[in-house]
Amino acid sequence: EAKTAGKRQWRRYHPALQSGMVERHALQESLDRAEIESFKVVYQAIVELGSGRVAGFEALLRWPHSTRGMVMPEQFIPLAEESGQIVPLGSWVLVQASKEAVAWHAMLTERNPGPPGVALGAKLPYVSVNVSPRQFRDRSFFEVMQWSLDRSGIDPSSLVLELTEGLLLRRDDRVLKEMRALTELGIRIAIDDFGTGYSSLSYLREFPISILKIDKSFIDELGHSPQQYALVEGITHLADTLGMKVIAEGVENTTQRDLLISMGCPLGQGFLFSRPLDSESAQSLLLAESSG
Ligand code: C2E
Ligand code: CA
Ligand code: CA
Ligand code: CA
């Protein structure tokens, strides 16, 4: 007790330690010591709104911590961005997620053996991986991508990279060149949290983008706000015109789903369909779907 009282005293005289900075600092120290293998990747289904079928999964990082319980990405990704740890961590997620997709494909084609190269029924699910701006701008990113493709054996057309608008904020020829090189390999690019950035829409013409993920904040009020409805419908039509696919993020109820279907939005993701699942549960979901 005396010890905590002393600590409190000490904090009072150290302005930097008064706020959440103490906690931030402790978490950063813990992050510095963490083994990369102590992280975990979970998978959230992206579904075809009309049929309810799984089109792919988004890979999401988790940090199961010995004393803090499950640490969520919003707590540690900003720290890892700042320290640069996001670069190796991001490479690790890429390889894990790609290997996972290879496993799904093996599992599904084994269950449904057909003519070589032809999957019976629906298309094989893709995997979508978040790439932070710092990771993308890292000099070695393209090499890491090639290495990750080799190492996992994933078909590049089964891989989607989720980038944020921030990366496209200013005209950067290197970013553009790299995005083109990636799409030439067959990898697709999605814009994450679409509509929340401050960038102009002109980048949609310049960059090779296949998918727009409409941020959850637009979906939340879909059933109650005609303005939100009009916005989401507008984005859906815009994407259609530009030959891009739209994914509605954070779909939580059937009202939202039905409105999305009525405006022609093809894909959705959210707790209504599935929470992020560990590797085994994601496989079970695919198996259950393929058998019935
Ligand atoms: P995000 O990329 O926008 O991912 C979607 C987040 O929304 C996930 O949170 C997901 O669990 C949550 N979500 C999905 N559906 C619903 C819903 O219906 N309702 C609600 N309330 N939430 C929903 P999560 O896993 O906590 O990830 C938070 C953010 O952390 C991600 O946002 C992404 O920006 C970042 N992140 C996660 N994994 C990685 C990673 O491997 N690399 C990088 N750079 N960032 C990551
Ligand atoms: Ca994302
Ligand atoms: Ca998002
Ligand atoms: Ca988000």
Side-chain angles (χ1 to χ4, degrees), residues 190-235:
I191 298 301
D192 203 358
D193 303 339
F194 182 76
T196 61
Y198 295 96
S199 45
S200 82
L201 288 178
S202 62
Y203 75 80
L204 289 179
R205 285 177 316 191
E206 291 178 43
F207 292 90
I209 295 157
S210 307
I211 300 163
L212 300 181
K213 298 191 76 173
I214 306 180
D215 192 66
K216 177 177 182 300
S217 57
F218 293 97
I219 309 304
D220 285 341
E221 293 301 308
L222 209 54
H224 310 287
S225 154
Q227 286 92 335
Q228 295 294 59
Y229 184 94
L231 265 173
V232 175
E233 191 177 41
I235 297 171

Side-chain angles (χ1 to χ4, degrees), residues 25-162:
H25 189 72
L27 201 60
Q28 179 64 64
E29 279 195 332
S30 187
L31 195 59
D32 290 341
R33 286 193 306 268
E35 303 273 342
I36 229 160
E37 284 79 17
S38 66
F39 290 85
K40 193 179 146 181
V41 184
V42 292
Y43 299 89
Q44 187 181 28
I46 296 162
V47 306
E48 290 170 2
L49 290 172
S51 64
R53 288 193 68 90
V54 176
F57 286 95
E58 177 176 4
L60 295 161
L61 252 178
R62 294 291 179 268
W63 183 17
H65 194 279
S66 54
T67 56
R68 294 165 187 275
M70 192 63 83
V71 187
M72 299 302 278
E74 247 116 43
Q75 294 171 265
F76 68 89
I77 298 266
L79 296 178
E81 277 257 345
E82 219 170 279
S83 65
Q85 285 162 306
I86 193 67
V87 176
L89 195 53
S91 307
W92 181 79
V93 175
L94 256 171
V95 175
Q96 293 301 112
S98 302
K99 283 182 176 169
E100 199 64 31
V102 171
W104 300 332
H105 296 176
M107 184 183 79
L108 292 172
T109 42
E110 192 181 305
R111 259 184 96 84
N112 281 325
V118 179
L120 293 183
K123 274 191 284 181
L124 293 169
Y126 68 87
V127 73
S128 200
V129 180
N130 292 286
V131 177
S132 83
R134 175 142 187 193
Q135 187 189 352
F136 193 90
R137 287 213 171 90
D138 187 83
R139 292 270 158 200
S140 62
F141 184 70
F142 191 74
E143 255 176 82
V144 166
M145 277 310 311
Q146 288 176 308
W147 168 82
S148 157
L149 294 175
D150 281 353
R151 191 157 165 177
S152 62
I154 190 175
D155 177 345
S157 68
S158 296
L159 181 62
V160 171
L161 301 182
E162 299 194 4

